[in-house]
Amino acid sequence: MSKPATDPLVQLTEIRAIMERSSRFISLSGLSGVGAGVVALVGAAVGHWYLQQRYPNAGYLRLLQSTPEERRLVLPYLLLLAVGIIGVALAVAMFFTVRRARRAGQPLWSALGRRLALSLMIPLVAGGLFCLALFVEGAVGMVVPGLLLFYGLALLNASKYTLDEIRWLGLTEIGLGLVLVLIPGLGLAFFALGFGLGHIGYGLLMYNRYERS
């Protein structure tokens, strides 16, 4: 027998849902994570192919020991690849997030959405500039660990404005970054693991938990 609408438990559930919608941005789509992860995997594959072409039979390991002149030569390509990965991943994430926000009737660029974006962008911009400085100064092996660490910190910083699963993804990225500090030669593999498979796994979890009919 169904409970009447005046049931206190039903009312509390409704109040909780309203409070959650007003305090957290819940329109993030799991498909955004899947799409971003696929883009990251493709980007890692393109980067591996480029380094293998430039340094046959050495690839990323040779880049770790590159001279300042070699780093200046490869930097434009790597920057272009990074901008491409970020741009396409953001476009895919925005497409699915906008679609879910419209279905949920939640404005995308609300005050809550702006706080979420700002919480993400500050650590990401700082981390990107710091990792660029590491590359230029020759600490190439610390670039990917730095990217993972700063990205994880950005997710932790933003998790208070959105779903709890973001916090666990952030902790995962930080853990991978710390492990990679000890084995920098696996930078490309960990890039694919953290930004690629990590996003895909998180996205599938979110989709099955919140979006799948």
Side-chain angles (χ1 to χ4, degrees), residues 18-172:
I18 293 172
M19 291 179 64
E20 184 176 52
R21 285 195 296 269
S22 64
S23 63
R24 292 195 173 194
F25 187 84
I26 59 174
S27 292
L28 288 178
S29 173
L31 296 179
S32 297
V34 174
V38 171
V39 172
L41 288 178
V42 172
V46 172
H48 174 74
W49 173 85
Y50 170 77
L51 292 174
Q52 286 293 329
Q53 297 298 310
R54 189 168 188 87
Y55 307 118
N57 302 319
Y60 181 75
L61 293 177
R62 178 67 180 83
L63 180 64
L64 297 182
Q65 304 169 350
S66 58
T67 64
E69 291 76 16
E70 289 174 326
R71 290 195 297 275
R72 281 195 294 270
L73 289 175
V74 301
L75 182 58
Y77 179 88
L78 294 179
L79 281 177
L80 182 62
L81 178 62
V83 170
I85 293 173
I86 294 171
V88 176
L90 282 176
V92 172
M94 285 298 296
F95 172 80
F96 288 111
T97 298
V98 168
R99 187 178 71 170
R100 189 179 180 206
R102 287 175 177 172
R103 290 177 176 175
Q106 184 179 32
L108 184 65
W109 197 240
S110 60
L112 189 59
R114 290 193 293 272
R115 288 197 294 270
L116 173 63
L118 186 63
S119 298
L120 279 170
M121 291 307 298
I122 291 176
L124 288 179
V125 172
L129 294 175
F130 180 76
C131 291
L132 177 60
L134 287 177
F135 185 89
V136 172
E137 294 300 320
V140 180
M142 294 295 104
V143 171
V144 178
L147 292 174
L148 289 167
L149 287 169
F150 275 98
Y151 183 58
L153 291 172
L155 293 177
L156 280 180
N157 194 41
S159 63
K160 57 183 175 288
Y161 298 117
T162 186
L163 301 171
D164 290 337
E165 286 80 2
I166 293 292
R167 179 183 300 111
W168 295 107
L169 179 60
L171 291 172
T172 300

